Amino acid sequence: MKRIGETQMIKITDLEKYYRTEEVETIALNKLSIEVKTGEFVAIMGPSGCGKSTLLNILGMLDDPDGGSYVFNGVEVAHFNERKRADLRKHNIGFVFQSFNLIDELTVFENVELPLIYTGIPSAERVKRVEEVLDKMQIMHRRNHYPQQLSGGQQQRVAIARAVVNKPKLILADEPTGNLDSSNGNEVMELLTDLNEQGTTIIMVTHSEHDARYSHRIIRLLDGQTVVENIMI
Amino acid sequence: MIRNYIKTAWRNLSRNRVYSVINIVGLTLGLTACLLVATVVLDDLSYDRQWNNSNSIFRIVSVDKSNKNATERFPQSFTGLGPVFKKLFPEVKEYCRMHAGSVRLKMGTDKDGIELNTISAEPSIWKILNFDVVAGSPRYYQKGYTNLVITQKIKDQFFSGVDPVGIVLTDMPEFGKPANYIITGIIKNIPANTSLRADVLEIKENEPDFDVLAKEGYGTFAEQYLLLDPKSSVPEFELKANKWLAGYFTNHVPKYSFSLQNIQDIYLRSTDLSGQGRVSGDIHDVYIFSGVAILLLFIACINFVNLTTARALKRIKEAGIRKVLGAEKSELVAQFLFESLLFFLISFVAGILLYSFLLNPVEVFLGHPITLAIHNNVLLLSLTSISVLIVSLITGIYPAMLVSAQNPAMTLKGKMTSGIGNGFIRKGLIVSQFSISVLILIGTLVVQTQLHYLNIKDLGYDKNNLLHLKDISWNGKSPEFKRQLINLAGVESASLSSWYPGCGSGGFMTMHVDNPRDKKDKLKVWYIAADFDFVKTMKFSLQKGRLLNPSLSSDALNDDSLMDKGMDQLDKAQQTQPMLMTNLTAKTFNIKQLNTKVDGIQGIPVGIINDFNNESLKSEMKPVFIRADNNLGYGGMLVRVRPGSKKNVLSAVYQLWQKQFPDKVFQFEWTDEVLNDQYKAENKLQQLFVLFSFLIIILAALGLFGLTMYSVELRFKEIGIRKVLGASIPGIAVTLSMDFIKLVLLGILIASPIAWYCAAAWLQNYWYRIDIYWWIFIVPGSIAVAIAMLTISFQTIKAAIANPVKSLRSE
């Protein structure tokens, strides 16, 4: 049975986001309200352009909302400046992307080590933690390889290792299996499930009904609004 | 964190080889050129600062304002000024008559002896300049000799293993009897960075009449230096002493006033003085080369900024990932700055290496050693390193800020959110880069064209095949020597003359004569004394009247024998002596009637010859009179040689010389070469301009190449779409190239008026100068466009012929 805590981790209310050019204004999020509890595994689904990635970016504090409220762990963060957002992000949130987003110039070990460097973890501690997490992700034997030398599945495992090495409370995954074959995709979903079972809250954007079934709850978006929520049994 | 920066920077550098090589080569060239020019400039600026009293040592400069339109300044002054000033004005602590000269001494194995550069001075030199004595007691003046104080270098070269102090040497003078020189001491080498650059000190007491300041306002001139009380005000002293001087002369209208020139200014700020010594530079060169070197470095930095910014488009995703992983903006800025620093560090090390190899050729080019070298001087090296660090930070800050300022949500998709979209700064930088290139190219062409003009300008005489035997005292042997000389095969004619082309002045004597158009003004008039073959040898043409005739006894004077009878006898004879003059002279003094006395002019004009440039082409042609002297005691011999027989004639003249003057050194020069030498500084300027323009164009082309490479990469998809829609290969290549060509054209447009202004200002140095024609702008502009097109087309054609499927699929 999947465990969900009682405390609320995320509460967004009437969240708005617009994209403007000189002539056109596109509404990405239209007064969207969502809540996510600590330990929950939430999947966000919807057609292209419905605002899934925009929502994920705002939740990950990579982007500003244009209106509404975003409370993270009881703190209103919607209008935090970049420095505060970066600080909150590096201590609380891990990211997993469809295209892995590993840095080509760094080895597997160095890619995973990077978040620890930015949080100021001492070198010896970093080595210990990186080795631990690489071991867990069964990618230790590839520690000195560069991303281009790995398969897609291995790259995504490195990306997940990098996302969890700082022991974040929340993992945001943007179509984590989108670039993988079904076998590697399943492996990644298993890893995320394991992490969730160990207490990490996960919010995942996906097009795949199969992947969404790993979550506790599916939020379906259309035109920047919630159209339906499915609780998974 | 730093380790991570180094790792990322190094891996980025080694993975993007083309980008890295373009950047490093560009920066290395820019830094090396800048370091070399900085060394030369620092060396130039360090002249004469090594003397303990350098702030208080001044040279007396005479100022002649008698010609309203041309104030003349020269570094010699009445020899009596120093002693009189010392007596009258407490500000003057000491004086010394001294100059940078040379002496030929009988030493070494060469029968012609050795010519040494000297500081020729009186004993008070020790009170003014400081030298480190190594041996002997040179401060003690040994009477009866000229005292010679040699430097360690001369001691090692000629007196190795022996104590030279006390040795007596004899000189080999061009005129007069040989004199004895006693070596009284050895001093440490005199640094090369002095306007008195020398290997030995030649110290001699002056005759007592040197100390007299004649009330009549004439006298002997010499270079002299004053040591002033450091507390005294120089302008006040100048004013006071000039006022006194004006009252001192009996006619109360002094022809000369004086000004004081600090010894530190002599090397660089004496170009306006006539008769400056053998060691001189030009502050304008310092400005020009500093400017060009800064522009070179600027272009290299522009390349760096442009390429790094263009490349930022590929690095923003990495910056986005780092931000997502917790990097703060400041950390990203630091990372990208660090990368800039790494490029500069590598280029700086390469630059210093290249610099150390090139310093020697630069010294050869300059013709003297450089005292301060950056790589051997800890302080200079530290200062240079700090400067490079600052430049690298300034250069790196824009790309660093640009990359780190992006919104990570967008950059992860590879999209820019600010700053680089329209590339305004990048475009501006390309425009300025090509403006600078065109500016330097135009400069090169102007200098080149002016030099060519100086070479081909008709001087009024034939400068080719004209041999000049340097001035000596002939000891009465000149008629016999000349008789034998003109019988040599290949010799057309010869003339003994007090003037020769390129001698640095326009004749043996000048007079200031009332300007017929303004009686309050004076005009400078040159006099040339030569024998009767002068006109024939110089190939002048008679325009009116008659030439001077040896069969008319009144046409020639014997100055020496008249002088023996008294100066007034000579003066009287000269007043009525027949003379030749140039067309310009006749026009200036409105002389319509020959064989008539002209007011204020010494002599009677009997013939008019064509105009000729008896001075450098920097100076305006002045009135000149030529009179005959059949027995010049001192002067040079001009020999007109038949074309094609220069070598044979020279060898025959040498043999004749050895027979006639076995004790005299045979010194000769070809007039065309001497005249070219007059423009040695311009030749050097031109060579440097060619080098700089070559470097600048290479740098600009390198930058453009890299930029096109990135631009094409970014427009890869657009090119594919255009091809799918039916665009032709040339059409695509033109579309891609036009964006850059427009910028280059704008650069040319901006550079042209600036170049015109600078060229016009530089040409003001020459009385005879080229007009700035339209093609002077068109040619460099076309070269810039051609180079830009060549650089761009390589990339654009490559992009245009690529398979569109590939580019569309890559999306």
Side-chain angles (χ1 to χ4, degrees):
Chain A
M1 180 65 193
K2 296 161 186 174
R3 291 168 301 164
I4 303 169
E6 287 308 310
T7 49
Q8 193 180 64
M9 176 178 266
I10 288 169
K11 185 180 182 192
I12 58 171
T13 315
D14 293 336
L15 205 67
E16 290 176 312
K17 182 72 184 175
Y18 309 103
Y19 290 112
R20 296 181 183 92
T21 63
E22 277 176 17
E23 288 161 7
V24 185
E25 184 178 85
T26 313
I27 301 170
L29 297 176
N30 188 8
K31 293 198 179 293
L32 181 69
S33 299
I34 292 172
E35 287 183 32
V36 178
K37 288 194 170 64
T38 305
E40 227 184 330
F41 188 157
V42 177
I44 299 170
M45 297 189 76
S48 291
C50 71
K52 302 185 298 288
S53 294
T54 306
L55 174 63
L56 209 64
N57 286 336
I58 292 174
L59 292 177
M61 293 172 225
L62 299 175
D63 210 351
D64 287 327
D66 291 320
S69 147
Y70 173 18
V71 175
F72 182 83
N73 273 344
V75 181
E76 174 60 69
V77 297
H79 303 296
F80 265 22
N81 62 23
E82 200 190 321
R83 199 186 173 87
K84 275 186 170 172
R85 288 209 310 255
D87 196 52
L88 202 66
R89 191 164 60 224
K90 70 182 168 191
H91 288 106
N92 294 287
I93 306 173
F95 291 85
V96 179
F97 301 97
Q98 178 183 0
S99 52
F100 324 132
N101 280 341
L102 298 173
I103 295 176
D104 290 343
E105 281 72 27
L106 301 180
T107 61
V108 165
F109 184 94
E110 289 159 353
N111 262 291
V112 178
E113 188 190 21
L114 209 52
L116 300 174
I117 292 175
Y118 288 127
T119 39
I121 306 290
S123 172
E125 171 73 10
R126 288 205 302 264
V127 173
K128 202 177 128 216
R129 276 166 72 170
V130 173
E131 284 178 350
E132 219 173 79
V133 75
L134 287 179
D135 214 26
K136 204 163 145 189
M137 298 291 154
Q138 296 173 355
I139 197 87
M140 188 62 174
H141 60 294
R142 295 285 204 172
R143 57 177 287 167
N144 291 325
H145 286 72
Y146 286 95
Q148 301 94 314
Q149 296 169 309
L150 305 181
S151 71
Q154 285 171 326
Q155 286 193 46
Q156 195 59 300
R157 268 190 281 160
V158 176
I160 294 172
R162 188 181 63 182
V164 300
V165 73
N166 237 343
K167 298 180 181 157
K169 294 183 182 79
L170 170 67
I171 285 184
L172 298 173
D174 192 355
E175 301 203 37
T177 61
N179 278 3
L180 302 175
D181 58 29
S182 60
S183 147
N184 274 311
N186 284 341
E187 249 181 66
V188 165
M189 288 315 300
E190 290 299 335
L191 277 172
L192 291 175
T193 310
D194 282 353
L195 287 168
N196 176 244
E197 283 178 353
Q198 285 156 30
T200 312
T201 310
I202 295 178
I203 301 176
M204 175 180 72
V205 164
T206 184
H207 276 118
S208 158
E209 291 289 348
H210 170 265
D211 288 355
R213 277 201 285 274
Y214 284 87
S215 68
H216 302 147
R217 183 157 57 107
I218 301 173
I219 298 171
R220 294 184 192 273
L221 298 184
L222 186 67
D223 296 336
Q225 287 176 310
T226 313
V227 287
V228 64
E229 283 194 39
N230 306 115
I231 310 290
M232 308 300 289
I233 303 165
Chain B
M1 185 76 82
I2 297 282
R3 229 179 56 192
N4 189 270
Y5 289 168
I6 297 175
K7 249 187 310 200
T8 319
W10 179 253
R11 285 176 194 166
N12 258 308
L13 190 144
S14 47
R15 280 193 185 183
N16 301 283
R17 287 204 185 94
V18 178
Y19 160 79
S20 305
V21 166
I22 290 175
N23 259 337
I24 291 172
V25 168
L27 285 175
T28 304
L29 287 178
L31 282 171
T32 311
C34 222
L35 290 177
L36 284 170
V37 175
T39 305
V40 175
V41 167
L42 279 176
D43 189 64
D44 273 0
L45 295 173
S46 73
Y47 269 65
D48 287 309
R49 279 164 210 273
Q50 69 270 41
W51 310 114
N52 290 344
N53 298 319
S54 64
N55 287 324
S56 309
I57 303 172
F58 293 87
R59 179 167 74 173
I60 304 180
V61 172
S62 296
V63 183
D64 175 2
K65 289 185 181 162
S66 49
N67 183 344
K68 271 186 188 168
N69 298 320
T71 298
E72 204 178 337
R73 300 173 76 239
F74 50 96
Q76 293 82 16
S77 50
F78 286 126
T79 54
L81 276 183
V84 170
F85 282 172
K86 190 184 173 190
K87 209 181 289 173
L88 292 177
F89 300 105
E91 289 92 337
V92 179
K93 295 289 168 205
E94 197 49 73
Y95 67 90
C96 179
R97 274 74 59 106
M98 65 177 163
H99 66 277
S102 65
V103 64
R104 185 173 287 274
L105 293 169
K106 270 189 188 159
M107 57 193 275
T109 49
D110 195 332
K111 83 174 227 343
D112 287 342
I114 300 290
E115 186 161 351
L116 297 174
N117 287 327
T118 67
I119 300 179
S120 193
E122 57 189 323
S124 58
I125 184 174
W126 297 104
K127 294 178 187 165
I128 301 214
L129 303 178
N130 50 291
F131 302 97
D132 294 325
V133 176
V134 177
S137 308
R139 287 188 175 87
Y140 171 74
Y141 182 72
Q142 289 203 31
K143 287 188 181 288
Y145 297 99
T146 300
N147 288 194
L148 197 69
V149 184
I150 62 172
T151 52
Q152 192 69 50
K153 177 183 141 194
I154 298 297
K155 147 84 174 79
D156 296 342
Q157 206 174 337
F158 298 103
F159 303 98
S160 178
V162 290
D163 179 8
V165 177
I167 290 179
V168 175
L169 301 164
T170 313
D171 72 348
M172 302 171 76
E174 287 163 2
F175 61 96
K177 287 180 186 161
N180 286 332
Y181 287 66
I182 185 165
I183 300 177
T184 55
I186 304 167
I187 52 172
K188 277 192 187 166
N189 291 341
I190 303 167
N193 54 345
T194 167
S195 54
L196 296 162
R197 191 183 301 145
D199 300 319
V200 295
L201 308 181
E202 180 190 14
I203 301 172
K204 195 180 173 188
E205 277 181 338
N206 287 316
E207 299 296 325
D209 62 357
F210 245 55
D211 294 351
V212 176
L213 184 63
K215 276 186 165 295
E216 295 77 15
Y218 60 80
T220 311
F221 280 77
E223 257 184 82
Q224 59 189 319
Y225 292 73
L226 301 179
L227 176 66
L228 295 190
D229 185 337
K231 290 185 213 107
S232 58
S233 153
V234 176
E236 276 174 31
F237 170 68
E238 278 176 335
L239 205 70
K240 191 164 70 170
N242 268 318
K243 204 172 159 192
W244 173 85
L245 196 64
Y248 179 77
F249 293 119
T250 41
N251 56 5
H252 295 287
V253 188
K255 191 174 156 198
Y256 303 109
S257 58
F258 76 91
S259 64
L260 293 181
Q261 183 183 34
N262 185 259
I263 192 166
Q264 297 172 10
D265 292 334
I266 291 177
Y267 179 70
L268 286 177
R269 295 174 194 275
S270 295
T271 43
D272 62 328
L273 303 186
S274 37
Q276 166 59 21
R278 61 177 155 77
V279 185
S280 63
D282 188 347
I283 190 75
H284 297 104
D285 287 351
V286 171
Y287 296 147
I288 290 174
F289 293 124
S290 305
V292 173
I294 289 169
L295 290 181
L296 251 173
L297 187 61
F298 183 59
I299 284 194
C301 290
I302 287 179
N303 273 355
F304 185 83
V305 173
N306 265 342
L307 287 174
T308 316
T309 313
R311 223 178 140 260
L313 295 165
K314 299 195 92 186
R315 299 289 303 275
I316 50 161
K317 194 169 177 190
E318 180 198 328
I321 296 169
R322 285 177 183 272
K323 268 197 175 176
V324 166
L325 298 178
E328 288 180 19
K329 193 178 165 183
S330 57
E331 285 167 325
L332 286 177
V333 170
Q335 185 201 329
F336 284 96
L337 274 182
F338 195 85
E339 288 190 17
S340 300
L341 204 65
L342 187 68
F343 273 106
F344 272 85
L345 183 72
I346 295 170
S347 310
F348 183 51
V349 172
I352 285 282
L353 276 174
L354 205 57
Y355 167 87
S356 60
F357 286 120
L358 291 176
L359 203 57
N360 195 254
V362 169
E363 287 180 323
V364 172
F365 176 77
L366 292 173
H368 62 83
I370 284 172
T371 321
L372 294 166
I374 291 171
H375 65 307
N376 294 332
N377 186 310
V378 179
L379 179 70
L380 271 183
L381 191 60
S382 315
L383 285 174
T384 312
S385 309
I386 292 170
S387 309
V388 171
L389 180 72
I390 293 170
V391 171
S392 72
L393 293 180
I394 293 172
T395 310
I397 197 77
Y398 171 68
M401 293 297 285
L402 187 81
V403 172
S404 57
Q406 305 300 319
N407 178 344
M410 300 304 284
T411 53
L412 287 176
K413 293 177 191 162
K415 288 179 183 166
M416 299 288 288
T417 49
S418 68
I420 205 164
N422 58 12
F424 182 75
I425 292 185
R426 261 187 312 145
K427 284 177 186 168
L429 291 176
I430 296 177
V431 171
S432 49
Q433 204 170 26
F434 273 87
S435 292
I436 294 166
S437 307
V438 171
L439 189 71
I440 302 296
L441 274 178
I442 294 175
T444 310
L445 203 60
V446 169
V447 175
Q448 171 78 42
T449 315
Q450 173 66 12
L451 263 179
H452 177 68
Y453 172 74
L454 294 177
N455 276 327
I456 58 151
K457 185 186 177 305
D458 181 9
L459 301 172
Y461 58 87
D462 184 3
K463 67 178 178 179
N464 298 311
N465 303 305
L466 187 61
L467 178 67
H468 170 238
L469 306 181
K470 284 194 172 178
D471 295 7
I472 60 160
S473 51
W474 295 94
N475 302 335
K477 290 186 186 171
S478 62
E480 177 54 23
F481 177 73
K482 186 179 165 187
R483 194 186 60 75
Q484 293 193 33
L485 181 72
I486 53 177
N487 284 326
L488 292 175
V491 173
E492 287 181 350
S493 70
S495 169
L496 187 60
S497 162
S498 66
W499 171 86
Y500 60 92
C503 68
S505 66
F508 84 103
M509 179 180 90
T510 54
M511 288 192 82
H512 288 82
V513 180
D514 286 344
N515 184 347
R517 287 172 188 84
D518 178 1
K519 290 290 175 198
K520 286 179 192 158
D521 191 23
K522 298 269 185 196
L523 290 179
K524 188 174 181 174
V525 175
W526 282 111
Y527 280 80
I528 292 173
D531 67 18
F532 288 98
D533 294 321
F534 184 64
V535 170
K536 182 179 162 199
T537 306
M538 292 300 293
K539 293 197 172 174
F540 293 138
S541 61
L542 181 69
Q543 316 261 297
K544 202 176 167 189
R546 68 170 177 89
L547 291 177
L548 299 174
N549 187 345
S551 57
L552 298 173
S553 62
S554 60
D555 275 8
L557 293 181
N558 186 333
D559 287 6
D560 290 343
S561 63
L562 281 164
M563 238 185 304
D564 289 345
K565 290 178 193 160
M567 282 300 283
D568 55 332
Q569 287 293 313
L570 176 65
D571 194 44
K572 202 172 151 193
Q574 283 176 342
Q575 288 301 335
T576 55
Q577 185 185 4
M579 300 183 302
L580 298 176
M581 63 181 170
T582 56
N583 259 327
L584 173 89
T585 318
K587 209 179 285 175
T588 307
F589 291 103
N590 203 18
I591 303 170
K592 296 205 170 98
Q593 184 79 42
L594 291 173
N595 303 309
T596 331
K597 182 90 181 105
V598 182
D599 273 355
I601 303 285
Q602 199 185 56
I604 295 173
V606 296
I608 299 176
I609 59 163
N610 63 290
D611 288 328
F612 66 100
N613 292 94
N614 52 333
E615 292 180 274
S616 145
L617 292 174
K618 288 181 180 177
S619 309
E620 177 188 11
M621 215 183 263
K622 295 180 191 73
V624 61
F625 292 103
I626 300 165
R627 65 180 197 214
D629 186 330
N630 228 357
N631 197 21
L632 274 176
Y634 176 76
M637 184 80 76
L638 291 164
V639 186
R640 174 64 64 189
V641 176
R642 203 163 293 136
S645 51
K646 279 167 86 169
K647 207 174 157 190
N648 293 340
V649 166
L650 188 62
S651 143
V653 173
Y654 177 70
Q655 282 170 21
L656 180 64
W657 183 275
Q658 294 302 333
K659 224 176 347 170
Q660 295 272 337
F661 305 103
D663 298 335
K664 302 252 182 206
V665 182
F666 179 69
Q667 287 178 291
F668 72 94
E669 57 199 14
W670 291 100
T671 300
D672 50 351
E673 289 169 13
V674 177
L675 291 178
N676 285 342
D677 266 9
Q678 278 186 320
Y679 310 113
K680 217 190 261 174
E682 286 80 357
N683 272 309
K684 283 193 173 177
L685 186 72
Q686 188 245 350
Q687 286 171 28
L688 283 171
F689 256 115
V690 168
L691 178 73
F692 279 139
S693 51
F694 182 68
L695 272 178
I696 279 178
I697 279 289
I698 284 196
L699 286 181
L702 267 180
L704 197 58
F705 179 82
L707 216 52
T708 322
M709 196 172 82
Y710 281 104
S711 168
V712 163
E713 216 167 301
L714 291 170
R715 294 175 73 176
F716 203 42
K717 192 181 166 194
E718 177 200 326
I719 296 165
I721 295 169
R722 281 178 187 271
K723 276 190 97 169
V724 168
L725 295 177
S728 66
I729 291 173
I732 290 173
V734 168
T735 309
L736 291 172
S737 305
M738 272 323 283
D739 285 354
F740 288 106
I741 297 299
K742 273 183 216 161
L743 299 177
V744 174
L745 289 173
L746 183 62
I748 296 169
L749 213 62
I750 292 171
S752 297
I754 301 171
W756 178 84
Y757 177 80
C758 296
W762 181 75
L763 287 170
Q764 286 301 315
N765 290 324
Y766 302 85
W767 185 266
Y768 299 93
R769 53 184 178 257
I770 52 163
D771 291 324
I772 305 175
Y773 295 111
W774 56 270
W775 59 266
I776 282 180
F777 300 98
I778 297 296
V779 171
S782 310
I783 291 174
V785 171
I787 288 173
M789 282 185 80
L790 206 69
T791 313
I792 297 166
S793 59
F794 178 75
Q795 294 289 337
T796 50
I797 291 171
K798 198 172 123 190
I801 57 177
N803 185 350
V805 175
K806 213 172 153 188
S807 60
L808 294 174
R809 194 174 49 204
S810 75
E811 181 68 6

